Amino acid sequence: MNLLRLLICWLLLCAAAHAGTLTQAELARRFPAPLVVGEKSADIPAWPLFKQNGTVTELVGYAFESADLAPVPGFAGVPPNLLVVIDPKGTFLDVAVLSQHEPVFLEGLGEAPLREFLQQYRGRSLGQGITVGGGKGSLDGVSKATASVRIINQSVLSAALKVARAKLGFAQGRDPGRIGRIRMDVFAPLSLQEMLDAGLVRHVRVRRGDVERMFAGSSGAGLDAEALAQPDDVFIDLWVAWASVPAVGRNLLAPRTWTRLQGRLEPGDHALLVLTAGPHTLTGADFVRGSVPRGIVLRQDRLPVEMRDLDLEPRLADGVHLPADEMLLLRVIAQAGLDPACALDFALPVTRSKGIVYPERITREVAFSYRLPEAYYIAPERAAPAWQASWKARRVELIVLGVALSLLAAALWQQRRLVAHARRFAWLRRAWLLFTIGFIGYAAQAQLSIVNLTGIVQALRAGRGLDYLLFDPLTVALWAFVLVSLFIWGRGTFCGWLCPFGALQEFAGLAGQALRLPQVAVRRVLDARLKRVKYGVLAAILLAAVWAPAQADRLVELEPFKTAITLNFVRAWPFVVYAAGLLLVAMVVNKAFCRYLCPLGAALALLGRVRLLDWIPRRAECGTPCQTCRHRCGYNAIVPSGKVDYEECFQCMECVVIHASDEQCAPRILERKRSRTIPIVPAPDTIDRRA
């Protein structure tokens, strides 16, 4: 115990481990000449990468750390940190590991499979809707690490989308792969008035007096003499239409202009037609064709979306007459993620100057919106949470687990029927333990672990959510059942029936008995002391998870579950020797690891104190004088008084079998003997003679 106190004090003094962040110098080392690393952006933690091409400096892309932008916790509660590089079109140039704490990639599998997985991002676009293991076009997962790579995929995409939204004009708050789509098959001849009535063309008229009122109360008020003298005169007449929609473009534009427009747009691009009349223009005298007009701004979800002139001279269709002084066809690239299902928010900046030497510039905006009617686009599918893909992919395994757990709960609830025949119960239990090892352990990879708890501790400590747990549906389902069972039966349901490594130990014990190895019965005093060790191990791991996460990663290796179950003993030899050694010990000492070292068992024992039922039947004779169950209990979970210590009970139900047996339970045997006793009654003639 003194050693335990010293360990706890040392952990309390340790500082929490923080992942380092990249510096500009480190990035320069990773991206040498001819690339140049620019200064980190002020608005978002990303570094621009440039390349000198003759006399022109070209933007190659942006480099950033996923943990800075999307700290999605992994299964150790710590977010993976990845170096991500995307080009100006939103295509991945590289994704590399900076740090990660995923248990399956720390040892055993190692980082090599993770690095191979990350190589699949190269050349893929953010607009593709990248998924893991979803069929054709998706990323290939990693065996035994499906949930981890799904979390990593979410980290990469979430971080990259944030940079793309801030720097490349991608849609704010949405995956560009999940937006509305223009219906190219919908067309009907429409007149200009019919398009105006349907909302396909938006007309806005602003008078000079309207503009003057916008500047009221500011230093820009009263600077336009014409607005004061003639407030009802038109300042600007403006028409906006979604020209790449066939029902708009084919009716509004001349056939030749429509054909040329189609040839200039790439898949997913959009074109907007803007026509204006009046003294205010959108381009100005210094406007260059092919550039971005400064006189009109488009926003969606409060984020500016770039509109660039297509350098086409649009001509209107015959019969369409608009008094336009300027006409522009503006292109919005597909990567911008413009969503036809959402409103387009336009603004016309109007600037006035006051003063001569250093004039003060005052700007106000004429704002209006344009929404495409529903008949002309296909609404996007509602974006499902990323973890739902894991549940769909493993629905068969979830059904199998759900049916199995239901059968187990029903059997344990009907314990009298379950143990009615001792031999049949023994074989049923062994069959279930084989299912636990084969399906729950190796097939479903649903071995519960102390790592599940340390991950929650570290996530809560860092103020992160617990959504990452949903990426492993079978573990979530099993934990849900175990937590409910704690209220009914206590710790034993998991430790005795649902723990794959515990089942391996139980079979190791049976093998030891079959080989006639000497079975070590630990003296009760020593046994009681050794049982306290697992609580010290639990305390050390949880304290490390809070104060020294790097040490927690090492301490959780006291649990052999990852070696024996998750990685199937395919691991570095010290870990294999440790796990195999525990099984060898279990051949002579009944489930020694579970009883003395298991931190998860200690946690469940503490949580099991909320148990509502004393479900193991007892008699008045139990303990006084009968000690049969106590001596037969391989876990020393029955005290001399006959009371069951549920915190150390593994629900093997041997004592329940004894309690129900006429051949093993001493009080029942005594009752049977008494029922068979023939009372001595004097013969009638003897009574007569006495009389």
Side-chain angles (χ1 to χ4, degrees), residues 199-427:
L200 292 170
V201 176
R202 178 80 159 90
H203 177 215
V204 177
R205 173 173 290 172
V206 182
R207 302 184 184 277
R208 289 186 180 275
D210 299 328
V211 176
E212 185 61 36
R213 281 187 288 274
M214 287 168 30
F215 286 95
S218 71
S219 54
L223 297 181
D224 186 346
E226 295 184 8
L228 297 174
Q230 299 171 323
D232 293 331
D233 283 3
V234 173
F235 179 74
I236 187 172
D237 251 336
L238 180 140
W239 293 265
V240 174
W242 205 310
S244 53
V245 176
V248 178
R250 289 175 59 185
N251 284 310
L252 202 57
L253 299 173
R256 184 178 178 182
T257 302
W258 169 254
T259 301
R260 291 181 65 195
L261 175 63
Q262 292 299 103
R264 295 289 297 275
L265 297 179
E266 296 182 5
D269 287 356
H270 301 279
L272 300 169
L273 176 65
V274 181
L275 303 93
T276 69
H280 183 73
T281 66
L282 305 183
T283 54
D286 59 347
F287 178 70
V288 178
R289 299 310 299 259
S291 64
V292 178
R294 296 181 180 178
I296 184 168
V297 175
L298 170 61
R299 299 184 182 95
Q300 194 169 60
D301 293 331
R302 296 180 294 181
L303 185 80
V305 178
E306 182 181 273
M307 298 184 296
R308 186 171 293 274
D309 177 46
L310 274 167
D311 196 12
L312 286 176
E313 293 289 346
R315 295 186 179 275
L316 299 179
D318 294 340
V320 178
H321 300 289
L322 288 172
D325 296 327
E326 61 180 352
M327 289 192 292
L328 295 172
L329 272 171
L330 304 174
R331 175 191 178 193
V332 178
I333 63 174
Q335 288 85 350
L338 192 67
D339 192 348
C342 297
L344 307 184
D345 298 317
F346 289 95
L348 308 179
V350 180
T351 301
R352 290 180 175 180
S353 299
K354 183 177 183 180
I356 299 175
V357 179
Y358 297 105
E360 178 186 358
R361 298 174 63 84
I362 307 98
T363 300
R364 295 291 184 269
E365 290 185 345
V366 177
F368 64 94
S369 63
Y370 172 91
R371 181 180 286 275
L372 192 65
E374 293 182 6
Y376 299 94
Y377 64 84
I378 300 172
E381 296 181 3
R382 185 178 179 181
W387 54 263
Q388 283 191 9
S390 300
W391 291 75
K392 292 180 180 179
R394 307 193 71 180
R395 57 183 175 273
V396 174
E397 295 167 291
L398 282 166
I399 292 171
V400 173
L401 181 63
V403 171
L405 294 179
S406 298
L407 291 174
L408 177 62
L412 294 178
W413 194 259
Q414 298 291 328
Q415 56 176 291
R416 290 186 179 179
R417 297 178 61 182
L418 182 63
V419 303
H421 303 283
R423 187 174 182 83
R424 183 186 66 183
F425 169 74
W427 284 106

Side-chain angles (χ1 to χ4, degrees), residues 10-31:
W10 174 74
L11 289 171
L12 287 170
L13 293 173
C14 288
H18 296 283
T21 56
L22 290 177
T23 62
Q24 190 175 20
E26 172 62 17
L27 280 172
R29 186 187 67 79
R30 289 173 177 265
F31 302 103

Side-chain angles (χ1 to χ4, degrees), residues 63 221 439:
F439 178 77

Side-chain angles (χ1 to χ4, degrees), residues 51-218:
K51 181 180 180 181
Q52 193 69 30
N53 188 3
T55 59
V56 179
T57 301
E58 296 179 351
L59 175 66
V60 175
Y62 287 93
F64 48 92
E65 295 178 74
S66 64
D68 286 338
L69 297 157
V72 181
F75 281 98
V78 180
N81 194 18
L82 307 159
L83 174 62
V84 185
V85 185
I86 58 174
D87 71 8
K89 291 186 178 180
T91 300
F92 286 100
L93 299 178
D94 195 17
V95 181
V97 180
L98 292 175
S99 66
Q100 58 88 20
H101 296 264
E102 291 305 286
V104 73
F105 291 130
L106 288 176
E107 295 287 349
L109 294 181
E111 280 194 358
L114 176 58
R115 289 194 293 268
E116 292 176 7
F117 169 77
L118 296 178
Q119 288 177 3
Q120 299 177 80
Y121 286 95
R122 294 178 183 176
R124 291 179 180 260
S125 171
L126 274 170
Q128 294 177 339
I130 301 172
T131 58
V132 176
K136 185 178 179 181
S138 64
L139 303 178
D140 295 329
V142 178
S143 178
K144 297 183 179 293
T146 303
S148 290
V149 295
R150 288 185 189 276
I151 288 174
I152 288 168
N153 181 57
Q154 186 185 14
S155 302
V156 171
L157 294 185
S158 298
L161 281 170
K162 285 186 178 180
V163 174
R165 291 163 190 154
K167 295 298 183 182
L168 308 180
F170 274 54
Q172 173 72 17
R174 296 186 307 276
D175 181 344
R178 292 186 178 274
I179 58 176
R181 304 295 177 189
I182 297 294
R183 296 193 62 176
M184 304 303 291
D185 58 337
V186 175
F187 173 76
L190 298 171
S191 67
L192 175 60
Q193 188 58 50
E194 288 173 328
M195 285 188 283
L196 285 165
D197 293 341
L200 292 170
V201 176
R202 178 80 159 90
H203 177 215
V204 177
R205 173 173 290 172
V206 182
R207 302 184 184 277
R208 289 186 180 275
D210 299 328
V211 176
E212 185 61 36
R213 281 187 288 274
M214 287 168 30
F215 286 95
S218 71

